[in-house]
Amino acid sequence: MNEIYLDYNASAPCDPRVADAVAKAMTDGLGNASSAHRFGRRQAAAVSEAREHVARLVGGPPSGVVFTAGATEANNLALSGFATPSPTPQRDAAPTLVVSAVEHASVSRTAEALADTGRCNSRTAPVTLGGFVDVDALAGLLEATGHHVLVSIMAANSETGVLNPVEEIAQIVHRAGGMFHCDATQMVGRRPFDMAALGCDLVSLSGHKICGPTGVGALVGTREALAALRPTLWGGGHERGLRSGSLNVAGIVGLGVAAEIATLEQSREAERVGALRDQFVRALIDDLPAVDQNGDTERRLPNTANLRFVGTDADAVLVNMDPVAASAGSACSTGAIEPSPVLTAMGLSREAAFESVRFSLGRFTTAGEIADAVRTVVTAVRYVRLMTTEAA
Ligand code: PMP
């Protein structure tokens, strides 16, 4: 059987159109984008074009695009940049970072690490059983913080695909006098997203989640929001002084082409992929007893399904369904396997979390692959259930 890749949320395959553009930028592009000579100017023009495409994808200003090495760095820049004190302190109180309980580690761990240094306070906004932020609890939390607050809440969750009420969150944050950073890494290219219309001040995205290159991404911000950040890297002052370092022109060109394709093809792709995902889930539920869906199925990405095969260890299922690739949210933490913090924050038991598998589809997933994957997953779950019963 052929390999079947259902792990797009971890990293999507690079679109051949993007790969061609990257290869061309690497072979034809010469010079540093900061150089004043014609070679440098050509590189800078290629970067400018990419800036336009990335800005269009998220509904932000091209001048507000800060290229980074991915969403991890973009998230770190947003949080650390906000919490780093300016050399001319005018603040009366330490800043506060508010993050949701289901953020990616590049947000949650950054907030923890910054709070550990004593530079800022960190608070966590809870989520509902459906997996989205509890907006009343968030509003209550913000009443208790000062105005000097950055709220960082993702648009769509990587493990469950559940969507947050981004516009409502932005309004609550602004009413409290705070700034709103939205990690839209899993959202952009999959659902419409317009940071200006939604009221986001800062937005993170990543190339390899939109069929672009890995290791390149961006933080996009309004002029005011970017002005409120302090750099976390110092050097030549590239990217508005916020991200020094010679620009990765080929990677940036690839991100630009990936963003352009995502903007043009998002709605058609969402429809096609959503139909395949629904077909996949329906078939598994029809063929297997005791399959639960985690997260609110009425508000989630079209490509993602997080399924609990009750009584079945997710890692055992993953091993037995090879060469179909998906993932479990469990992770090794200080030597012990821990259940997905996203699922447990939603109120699932440790046991339920250990039994949950994330399937994520995308641009190159075919109906034939879905039919084959259903058969393989059904066989794997039946086998693991049988082994579990015999061992008991
Ligand atoms: N945020 C979210 C929601 C993600 O899913 C990921 C990647 N898993 C990241 C941030 C980090 O992105 P990158 O791999 O580009 O650092």
Side-chain angles (χ1 to χ4, degrees), residues 189-260:
R190 301 215 170 108
R191 297 261 305 169
F193 185 88
D194 183 327
M195 65 180 280
L198 293 165
C200 304
D201 301 302
L202 295 163
V203 166
S204 299
L205 68 126
S206 177
H208 69 130
K209 310 293 173 156
I210 58 168
C211 300
T214 306
V216 61
L219 180 69
V220 187
T222 61
R223 191 209 307 238
E224 301 73 32
L226 292 177
L229 303 183
R230 292 265 299 149
T232 51
L233 288 174
W234 280 266
H238 309 73
E239 300 295 272
R240 290 170 157 258
L242 283 172
R243 207 287 186 167
S244 284
S246 299
L247 295 182
N248 163 18
V249 178
I252 289 169
V253 165
L255 177 64
V257 173
E260 183 185 16

Side-chain angles (χ1 to χ4, degrees), residues 9-10 69-73 75 104 106 154 156 158 183 185-186 205-209 214-216:
N9 290 8
T72 296
E73 189 193 332
N75 289 340
H104 185 261
S106 55
M154 66 205 329
S158 35
D183 177 0
T185 302
Q186 296 289 352
L205 68 126
S206 177
H208 69 130
K209 310 293 173 156
T214 306
V216 61

Side-chain angles (χ1 to χ4, degrees), residues 20-187:
D20 285 349
V22 172
K24 192 163 170 352
M26 292 194 85
T27 48
D28 297 358
L30 167 63
N32 191 311
S34 303
S35 298
H37 50 61
R38 60 171 54 230
F39 297 91
R41 288 202 305 275
R42 271 203 299 267
Q43 295 288 69
V47 169
S48 284
E49 192 181 335
R51 235 181 259 292
E52 300 277 340
H53 291 311
V54 169
R56 199 164 306 128
L57 177 65
V58 300
S63 61
V65 176
V66 176
F67 289 115
T68 64
T72 296
E73 189 193 332
N75 289 340
N76 271 265
L77 175 58
L79 273 66
S80 300
F82 180 80
T84 302
S86 97
T88 49
Q90 309 133 334
R91 296 167 178 169
D92 34 17
T96 302
L97 298 174
V98 176
V99 307
S100 89
V102 294
E103 292 305 306
H104 185 261
S106 55
V107 167
S108 57
R109 294 217 179 124
T110 303
E112 272 168 33
L114 290 165
D116 283 349
T117 65
R119 272 197 247 166
C120 65
N121 304 304
S122 164
R123 309 290 303 272
T124 303
V127 297
T128 64
L129 182 58
F132 50 91
V133 165
D134 180 335
V135 285
D136 292 333
L138 174 67
L141 244 176
L142 289 175
E143 275 173 25
T145 64
H147 287 334
H148 193 198
V149 55
L150 177 82
V151 176
S152 180
I153 291 177
M154 66 205 329
N157 187 269
S158 35
E159 287 189 39
T160 59
V162 169
L163 308 175
N164 271 314
V166 172
E167 189 171 4
E168 197 180 349
I169 291 170
Q171 285 166 2
I172 293 170
V173 175
H174 291 154
R175 227 176 287 134
M179 203 156 86
F180 178 39
H181 167 246
C182 184
D183 177 0
T185 302
Q186 296 289 352
M187 180 75 158

